[in-house]
Amino acid sequence: MRLEGMSGLRYSSDDPDDSDVDLKSRVARIIAKGGRELVLPIGAKTARNIDRYIRVPAAHPRAADPWLWLGKRRRLTASGIYQMVKDRGDAIGLPDLHPLQLRHTCPHDWLASGGSEGDLMRHAGWKSRAMLTRYAASAADERARDAHRRLSPGDRF
């Protein structure tokens, strides 16, 4: 999910219609680039962590605001989420971590784990295979070598 979509997530425990995150169904509804609405699956760990997170802001001065991601004084914007990821990376010894790395790593991990290109494109909201090529290219050689190790015809003689 792009930073803009993530920063625009709303959450309401009172009214599901005012919430972009459904923890029971494990989906998040975002507004994607170009104004398209996407409903994206979220993993069990992510849902559990969001559930823990939403319990903390009850005492936040802006807790009544509809936004899921709250900073110290207001909602986190895309640049605020960027900075949070950067700070977390610094804290764990990854000083150059930034959200776009995660956007490139996710397709690689998906494909390396055996996920289909079609499902990846659907979840990422990509209409063009060019986006798949762009985001998965950084580790395409590694995946090709791994596939060769598993499937090498010469090793079956």
Side-chain angles (χ1 to χ4, degrees):
M1 141 179 348
R2 299 174 67 87
L3 285 175
E4 292 79 11
M6 182 177 281
S7 69
L9 288 172
R10 299 168 303 131
Y11 182 78
S12 171
S13 58
D14 300 328
D15 187 355
D17 292 334
D18 289 338
S19 191
D20 297 318
V21 179
D22 182 341
L23 297 176
K24 287 181 184 167
S25 298
R26 296 198 336 235
V27 295
R29 183 180 59 233
I30 65 160
I31 302 302
K33 193 173 184 178
R36 292 180 301 132
E37 184 177 289
L38 295 176
V39 178
L40 304 174
I42 56 176
K45 279 185 176 182
T46 300
R48 187 173 55 246
N49 289 333
I50 290 173
D51 184 55
R52 287 179 187 156
Y53 170 80
I54 59 177
R55 295 172 193 282
V56 173
H60 193 283
R62 306 299 301 217
D65 286 0
W67 309 110
L68 177 61
W69 307 115
L70 298 174
K72 291 181 181 175
R73 292 174 294 201
R74 58 184 169 272
R75 88 180 246 215
L76 285 177
T77 62
S79 65
I81 292 173
Y82 180 99
Q83 190 59 52
M84 180 182 61
V85 170
K86 183 111 181 65
D87 292 347
R88 297 288 189 248
D90 290 344
I92 63 169
L94 297 171
D96 297 323
L97 183 66
H98 55 86
L100 193 55
Q101 284 175 300
L102 303 176
R103 193 158 163 79
H104 283 266
T105 302
C106 180
H108 166 66
D109 288 347
W110 178 274
L111 295 171
S113 297
S116 78
E117 291 180 353
D119 288 343
L120 174 59
M121 287 180 62
R122 181 105 178 142
H123 291 312
W126 299 329
K127 292 181 179 179
S128 162
R129 288 194 53 81
M131 294 306 290
L132 174 67
T133 301
R134 176 180 175 188
Y135 281 103
S138 61
D141 290 340
E142 181 183 333
R143 286 192 310 277
R145 284 189 298 274
D146 288 344
H148 185 271
R149 281 186 208 100
R150 284 191 325 272
L151 306 171
S152 176
D155 289 344
R156 291 189 295 219
F157 290 119

